Amino acid sequence: MQIFLEYSALGIAAGGVYALIALGFVVIFKASQTFNFAMGEMMMVSAYVYFMCVVLMGWNWMVGLAVTIAVSVLIALVMERLILRPMLGRPIISLVMVTFGAGIMMRGIASIIWGSDTDQMPSFLSRDPVMLGELFIPGKTARAFAVAVAVVVGLVLYFRYSRAGVALRATAADQTTSFAMGINVHRIFAMTWVIAAISGAISGILMASINSLSPSLGLVALNVLAVVILGGMDSIGGVLVAGLIVGWLEAVTGYLLGSEWRDITPYIAALLVLLTRPHGLFGTKPIERI
Amino acid sequence: MQITTSYIQDEALFRTRGQIVWAVLLGAVLVLFPIFGPGHWVYFCGLLAINIIATTGLNIITGYTGLLSLGHAAFMGVGAYTAALLAVHFNMPFYLTLPAAGALTALVGVAFGLPSLRIRGLYLVIATLAAQFILHFVFVEWDSLTKGDVGLVLEPARIFGITLNTERHMFFLVTPVAIVMLLFAHNLFRSRVGRAFVAIRERDLTAEVLGVHLVKYKLMSFAIGSFYAGVAGGLMAYFFRFVIPEQYGLLLSVFFLASVIVGGMGSTLGSILGALFMTILPEVLRLIVQLFGDTYGVDVTKVLVPLRETVFGLLIVLFLIFAPHGLVQIWERIRLAVATWPLKG
């Protein structure tokens, strides 16, 4: 029981980072109804940029973090402008495929530049374990959870109260009307990409410091995409909860069935949810006017 | 250009006498080439025929019906394992294992597609992604059946006492299957079912209002596409004579997605052109890398896979933005420009 609880706590802690990644998906989905399949690769590239700044250049971690966020925002803006903007008005399936293609391309380029071997990331997170009563949680995971939660809370508050956040929600609700009300919808789209880039950069660095750094780091994001389905794609709260649930499920199945089961757990969970509650645990059933 | 006066003419498989002549010529080449052509080219064309089948399958799902599948490689894997297991354990001939491979793959496809196709939206993407990872997991972990990472080894296919163990023999097995399946796909879209697929792609709500049963036809499209993947996978098992999980990873799914997009979504010719382009591409990349690898001292094996990924991704992006109808569109433009020259631009 003690071990089970420890694994549970560990899983939920890991789920915090998933929630942060999922937030990046949902923001873009809300504005443009597209899955951003390049999300994982955005994380991976950010982690490598951070790695270069801190390890190869020997900069302070705060400088490294600032540079990383700046670079990933820049990449996201370039992607939005060069790849997504020309595709506006095309079928959504084409938009999805274009982000998928962009992601594959980024992974290839990253493996050419940095090699496909894994690197160890120096962590700015302390290794000291955190004791939660009797429960032992590895230090990095616990602190990564804290960072992820802080970023998620910050972003969610930003959506709720800032002017840009209200504009974003208006765009999500009705694009045409918000355009007519003077909201610059193109800018909102760009903004969602910036937010996705920030959450991607931070989650990428966290993921790389918990595990290790390799060009296939981005594959984690595909698992998280299953999480997004689990929570219901239009529900930010639902997705955050789903992130924690999947983190927990992964850890527990890893403990009960063996670690090779971990990676397919989110997919099985997502398929089961699709079978029973098609619009996610917390999503709303869309109503369409013909 | 041929001007038609009836719908029957309009829909005919061969619309002009020229096309019949070309078809006969092509048939003659397809018979003579494997007998007299150089061995490695025959090998290449056999592989191409398999890729054409798989690309056609994905084109039915993605190009014609507007559903996105990211698990095509895993479905091919199901076909490959089915064919290999039936051949190894029950000694069944290929003309039984191949249909069985297709049928089982279609069933697996339906199992994965059913939950997501009941609802509108992009859910099939996730379900097929799930299929890609879950099926790969099954291939690796179900050790007693699939021999895990070691994989299965097949005896060569046999018919009428002839052992099909060279690339020339394989060509005669693969090409007829490819031709039959291409003709079926082409005819499908001259039928009610095929038109229902296209209607779903264009606007699913409108299709539903017109009386197309959305769930039924989406499932049918996905099952047919998976059947193609299964047969292609089965052929691939006989072609390489081994089956390992690694062959059927996510990168192969990307390969076929790129084939469909590069060739032209919603076109039979597009599947052929796309498969041709994408089958040649890795060879060209290898040549380029080898050429530069010698002069700059680059490790060829290390660069080749990432380079392939990069180029696949780049092609998907560039074609979607600049030529959404693929090579077919470019080919049609050239053909039209030649046919109407010098009267039109």
Side-chain angles (χ1 to χ4, degrees), chain A residues 27-92:
Chain A
V27 167
I28 289 182
F29 184 83
K30 262 178 150 350
S32 42
Q33 265 73 52
T34 312
F35 294 126
N36 171 23
F37 266 99
M39 182 75 189
E41 279 65 36
M42 283 161 65
M43 287 167 58
M44 178 266 298
V45 169
S46 307
Y48 268 109
V49 172
Y50 180 79
F51 179 77
M52 279 176 74
C53 290
V54 175
V55 177
L56 304 181
M57 303 286 188
W59 293 345
N60 180 282
W61 68 267
M62 281 171 65
V63 181
L65 188 66
V67 172
T68 306
I69 290 181
V71 171
S72 21
V73 165
L74 193 70
I75 293 174
L77 284 177
V78 169
M79 269 178 68
E80 199 274 334
R81 188 71 193 81
L82 291 187
I83 299 179
L84 267 296
R85 198 72 69 81
M87 298 290 292
L88 277 185
R90 296 272 195 85
I92 287 174

Side-chain angles (χ1 to χ4, degrees), chain B residues 75 78 100-114 219 222-224 226-227:
Chain B
F75 289 121
V78 173
L104 188 75
T105 312
L107 269 181
V108 173
V110 168
F112 276 101
L114 190 58
L219 261 183
F222 194 59
I224 294 174
S226 305
F227 183 89

Side-chain angles (χ1 to χ4, degrees), chain A residues 4-239:
Chain A
F4 180 79
L5 284 178
E6 247 171 39
Y7 269 97
S8 300
L10 186 68
I12 292 173
V17 184
Y18 288 177
L20 182 56
I21 303 171
L23 191 67
F25 277 113
V26 175
V27 167
I28 289 182
F29 184 83
K30 262 178 150 350
S32 42
Q33 265 73 52
T34 312
F35 294 126
N36 171 23
F37 266 99
M39 182 75 189
E41 279 65 36
M42 283 161 65
M43 287 167 58
M44 178 266 298
V45 169
S46 307
Y48 268 109
V49 172
Y50 180 79
F51 179 77
M52 279 176 74
C53 290
V54 175
V55 177
L56 304 181
M57 303 286 188
W59 293 345
N60 180 282
W61 68 267
M62 281 171 65
V63 181
L65 188 66
V67 172
T68 306
I69 290 181
V71 171
S72 21
V73 165
L74 193 70
I75 293 174
L77 284 177
V78 169
M79 269 178 68
E80 199 274 334
R81 188 71 193 81
L82 291 187
I83 299 179
L84 267 296
R85 198 72 69 81
M87 298 290 292
L88 277 185
R90 296 272 195 85
I92 287 174
I93 174 186
S94 303
L95 285 170
V96 174
M97 289 192 287
V98 92
T99 62
F100 189 69
I104 298 286
M105 194 170 78
M106 281 163 81
R107 183 160 15 126
I109 294 173
S111 324
I112 293 175
I113 298 177
W114 293 297
S116 24
D117 308 325
T118 46
D119 289 300
Q120 280 311 315
M121 187 90 147
S123 183
F124 57 93
L125 303 167
S126 151
R127 277 175 166 284
D128 302 334
V130 174
M131 299 300 287
L132 207 72
E134 293 284 291
L135 300 176
F136 173 95
I137 304 172
K140 280 184 184 173
T141 311
R143 288 181 179 79
F145 178 75
V147 173
V149 167
V151 177
V152 166
V153 169
L155 286 176
V156 169
L157 288 179
Y158 183 71
F159 294 139
R160 194 98 201 93
Y161 297 108
S162 78
R163 216 180 142 72
V166 175
L168 170 67
R169 281 186 290 139
T171 311
D174 189 333
Q175 242 176 63
T176 320
T177 311
S178 16
F179 212 92
M181 299 300 276
I183 293 171
N184 186 341
V185 174
H186 286 308
R187 240 193 32 223
I188 296 296
F189 284 172
M191 193 188 84
T192 58
W193 278 82
V194 168
I195 291 172
I198 294 172
S199 67
I202 294 171
S203 53
I205 297 169
L206 291 177
M207 268 331 247
S209 16
I210 297 174
N211 303 319
S212 58
L213 181 57
S214 78
S216 48
L217 173 79
L219 284 178
V220 173
L222 293 183
N223 297 9
V224 176
L225 203 56
V227 175
V228 178
I229 292 292
L230 210 65
M233 283 183 293
D234 50 355
S235 152
I236 288 188
V239 157

Side-chain angles (χ1 to χ4, degrees), chain B residues 47-59:
Chain B
L47 192 62
L48 171 65
I50 295 175
N51 285 343
I52 287 176
I53 297 174
T55 307
T56 309
L58 189 61
N59 212 341

Side-chain angles (χ1 to χ4, degrees), chain B:
Chain B
M1 211 187 302
Q2 174 87 356
I3 294 164
T4 48
T5 50
S6 77
Y7 285 119
I8 297 172
Q9 276 179 22
D10 210 34
E11 286 216 316
L13 260 189
F14 298 106
R15 289 174 51 185
T16 61
R17 200 161 290 200
Q19 281 176 325
I20 299 176
V21 173
W22 279 116
V24 171
L25 271 179
L26 180 69
V29 168
L30 284 180
V31 172
L32 294 177
F33 171 71
I35 302 174
F36 301 110
H40 56 279
W41 281 104
V42 177
Y43 175 87
F44 173 84
C45 288
L47 192 62
L48 171 65
I50 295 175
N51 285 343
I52 287 176
I53 297 174
T55 307
T56 309
L58 189 61
N59 212 341
I60 291 172
I61 300 171
T62 302
Y64 285 103
T65 322
L67 306 164
L68 183 52
S69 167
L70 295 179
H72 210 60
F75 289 121
M76 284 180 77
V78 173
Y81 274 105
T82 312
L85 286 170
L86 289 176
V88 169
H89 292 296
F90 300 101
N91 225 349
M92 277 162 77
F94 72 87
Y95 47 82
L96 291 179
T97 58
L98 287 182
L104 188 75
T105 312
L107 269 181
V108 173
V110 168
F112 276 101
L114 190 58
S116 51
L117 290 175
R118 284 187 310 150
I119 18 176
R120 299 184 53 228
L122 289 168
Y123 297 94
L124 184 72
V125 185
I126 307 295
T128 51
L129 200 62
Q132 174 71 51
F133 288 108
I134 292 174
L135 290 173
H136 193 266
F137 173 84
V138 172
F139 299 155
V140 177
E141 298 294 331
W142 196 352
D143 216 39
S144 55
L145 193 68
T146 64
K147 302 278 187 298
D149 284 320
V150 182
L152 299 165
V153 178
L154 275 85
E155 292 291 309
R158 264 195 307 271
I159 186 168
F160 309 132
I162 307 168
T163 310
L164 305 176
N165 54 358
T166 67
E167 63 269 3
R168 289 172 208 280
H169 286 124
M170 274 316 288
F171 187 89
F172 281 118
L173 168 61
V174 170
T175 315
V177 179
I179 289 172
V180 168
M181 296 192 88
L182 268 175
L183 278 179
F184 178 82
H186 198 78
N187 274 334
L188 183 65
F189 294 97
R190 298 161 65 210
S191 76
R192 179 190 169 84
V193 176
R195 282 195 297 269
F197 292 172
V198 175
I200 292 173
R201 174 189 72 193
E202 292 303 325
R203 188 92 174 90
D204 49 359
L205 269 182
T206 314
E208 197 169 16
V209 171
L210 288 173
V212 174
H213 193 303
L214 279 189
V215 179
K216 185 178 137 194
Y217 279 99
K218 278 184 185 173
L219 261 183
M220 207 191 281
S221 158
F222 194 59
I224 294 174
S226 305
F227 183 89
Y228 274 67
V231 172
L235 285 171
M236 217 171 214
Y238 283 112
F239 193 79
F240 292 119
R241 301 242 299 279
F242 62 82
V243 185
I244 49 171
E246 249 176 82
Q247 287 171 301
Y248 303 102
L250 189 62
L251 186 61
L252 191 67
S253 288
V254 178
F255 175 91
F256 288 115
L257 189 64
S259 301
V260 169
I261 293 171
V262 168
M265 286 186 273
S267 152
T268 320
L269 182 62
S271 307
I272 300 173
L273 291 180
L276 178 66
F277 186 93
M278 291 299 291
T279 314
I280 296 176
L281 184 71
E283 302 304 316
V284 174
L285 286 180
R286 191 205 309 275
L287 282 181
I288 293 174
V289 171
Q290 269 166 354
L291 201 70
F292 285 95
D294 288 343
T295 35
Y296 295 104
V298 183
D299 189 349
V300 176
T301 49
K302 268 191 179 169
V303 179
L304 207 56
V305 174
L307 188 66
R308 227 177 265 181
E309 278 185 319
T310 313
V311 175
F312 288 1
L314 192 69
L315 281 173
I316 291 177
V317 171
L318 288 181
F319 268 88
L320 277 174
I321 295 178
F322 296 109
H325 298 286
L327 289 173
V328 163
Q329 181 186 23
I330 297 170
W331 162 249
E332 281 296 319
R333 265 190 217 147
I334 296 172
R335 209 176 59 99
L336 213 66
V338 171
T340 53
W341 190 84
L343 294 175
K344 239 177 87 188

